Amino acid sequence: MLRYTLMRLGVFVGCLVVVWGAVYTGIAPRGLGNSNGLWVVLLALLISAPISFVVLRKERDRASVQVAQRVDRMKANLDANRSQEDAADDTARTQGQIS
């Protein structure tokens, strides 16, 4: 997941540099007043989202498989802990009834 996040951040930074260059060379319009920085960041986000959606598809799928495996493993551990607690509780109850 960290790898995907860093790759996504790299795509955004690349787009930010390109948009910044385009705005300051006059290819793209400048923001109004003092909003130029915000304009550059928002435009870079808008451009980087579809690029990363297409380019990072395999990495995103790989990360989602890893997350699903972790969730399944955690559910199995929780079920195992519940069954151990139930067995210990049943043993304590039967011992308490015999005495």
Side-chain angles (χ1 to χ4, degrees):
M1 196 66 183
L2 178 64
R3 181 178 173 182
Y4 172 72
T5 303
L6 290 175
M7 291 173 77
R8 178 93 191 254
L9 185 63
V11 170
F12 169 71
V13 169
C15 288
L16 185 66
V17 168
V18 169
V19 169
W20 179 79
V23 166
Y24 283 100
T25 58
I27 297 171
R30 294 184 185 268
L32 298 174
N34 294 330
S35 68
N36 197 38
L38 183 62
W39 165 252
V40 170
V41 170
L42 288 176
L43 193 56
L45 279 172
L46 186 67
I47 293 171
S48 70
I51 291 173
S52 63
F53 182 75
V54 173
V55 173
L56 301 179
R57 175 172 281 145
K58 288 183 181 179
E59 190 62 37
R60 186 177 55 250
D61 291 343
R62 200 175 302 139
S64 69
V65 167
Q66 289 177 351
V67 169
Q69 288 173 347
R70 285 183 190 165
V71 167
D72 291 341
R73 211 173 28 233
M74 289 174 66
K75 284 181 181 179
N77 287 341
L78 284 172
D79 289 341
N81 287 341
R82 283 188 196 129
S83 65
Q84 286 177 353
E85 289 175 1
D86 290 344
D89 187 46
D90 292 343
T91 303
R93 287 178 191 232
T94 57
Q95 288 178 356
Q97 290 176 354
I98 297 173
S99 298

